[in-house]
């Protein structure tokens, strides 16, 4: 079993829809949770960074962490065609100094105009 | 400020050949890492470094060597290329401490025939 599980999709939604992306994990030591966005043939770019449990909002993006369920989510409001990309969750543990990220497989998202 | 620069962008190797993937960053980041990305596997950590002269193995280190003689550079060496090393390789760097995500380069697409 992988440490981090992410539905690879693909996920296709109409423009303006609310998108929900999710990851589950098995390692209870994970404390740092990130979402990266990766456009085709590009490197991942950091979208959201959350420490421990709770919510974090940045514009149209909201990240949620539920450590009791070992479940993290990324919500995209008012989705735009420019949001079409692969979204990767990543996490790390304090014992590793947060250097070693463990990634999910990535979910490919398409926003249709 | 160029960020993380990877060279070459594309490379084709024959089985058994060796080569070095170059990575340089100009952000004075202490932490640097190499990941490989394969379809359905997400990103997997190969080697990482927490500063000049200090390196350690990640999840999939076999067949790869690294060294870190300066803060700026973190080359990845393939000792004897194998078809299983066909992948997209990403170098990433970040500041020390929590709360910082990695900045990724644009990747090197390697094919071993």
């Amino acid at each position: 079993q992988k440490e981090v599980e992410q539905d690879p999709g693909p996920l296709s939604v109409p423009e303006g829809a609310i998108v929900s992306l999710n990851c589950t994990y098995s390692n209870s030591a994970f404390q740092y949770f990130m979402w990266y966005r990766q456009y085709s043939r590009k490197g991942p770019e950091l979208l959201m960074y959350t420490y421990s449990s709770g919510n974090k909002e940045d514009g149209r993006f909201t990240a949620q962490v539920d450590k009791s369920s070992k479940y993290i989510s990324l919500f995209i409001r008012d989705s735009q065609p420019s949001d079409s990309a692969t979204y990767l969750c990543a996490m790390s543990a304090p014992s590793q100094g947060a250097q070693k990220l463990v990634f999910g497989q990535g979910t490919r998202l398409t926003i249709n105009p | 400020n160029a960020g993380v620069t990877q060279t070459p962008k594309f490379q084709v190797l024959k089985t058994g050949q060796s080569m070095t993937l170059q990575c340089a960053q100009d952000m004075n980041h202490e932490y640097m890492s190499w990941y490989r990305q394969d379809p359905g596997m997400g990103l997997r950590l190969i080697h990482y470094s927490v500063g000049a002269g200090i390196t350690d193995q990640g999840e999939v280190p076999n067949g790869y060597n690294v060294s870190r003689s300066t803060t700026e550079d973190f080359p990845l060496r393939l000792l004897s290329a194998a078809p299983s090393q066909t992948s997209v390789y990403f170098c990433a760097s970040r500041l020390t401490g929590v709360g910082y995500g990695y900045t990724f380069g644009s990747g090197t697409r390697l094919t071993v025939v």
Side-chain angles (χ1 to χ4, degrees), chain B residues 47-83:
Chain B
H47 286 285
Y48 67 99
S49 169
V50 299
I54 307 169
T55 64
D56 206 346
Q57 295 181 350
E59 180 185 357
V60 288
N62 292 340
Y64 307 95
N65 266 358
V66 293
S67 60
R68 184 111 178 260
S69 56
T70 67
T71 299
E72 295 77 19
D73 300 298
F74 191 42
L76 178 72
R77 282 181 285 277
L78 279 69
L79 308 173
S80 177

